[in-house]
Amino acid sequence: MLFRSGRELGLVDGSLATVSVGEFSVTAPVIETVDMADGVVWVPSNSEGSHLPVPSGTIVNVRGGAA
């Protein structure tokens, strides 16, 4: 998953983060990038095991570590 910066959440490049919404969640490594807007997380929909069945723009919960 990509973040501009996850430091305010205690996330660093290469650490694991869990993104959840409703009953769905996915855990993936954090990749920090300057090309993302603040407050945005991107989880690629075509990555094996990391698909959240929600539309782009959905508000999600993010926390460090595995689910």
Side-chain angles (χ1 to χ4, degrees):
M1 77 186 57
L2 294 174
F3 285 95
R4 176 174 177 153
S5 174
R7 302 220 186 268
E8 65 276 0
L9 299 174
L11 305 175
V12 295
D13 198 52
S15 66
L16 290 178
T18 299
V19 176
S20 61
V21 58
E23 74 246 24
F24 304 107
S25 68
V26 63
T27 300
V30 172
I31 301 171
E32 290 186 85
T33 179
V34 297
D35 296 332
M36 296 290 292
D38 288 336
V40 173
V41 58
W42 177 61
V43 180
S45 62
N46 63 346
S47 295
E48 184 177 333
S50 66
H51 176 69
L52 285 174
V54 296
S56 296
T58 299
I59 296 173
V60 297
N61 296 304
V62 180
R63 67 176 178 79

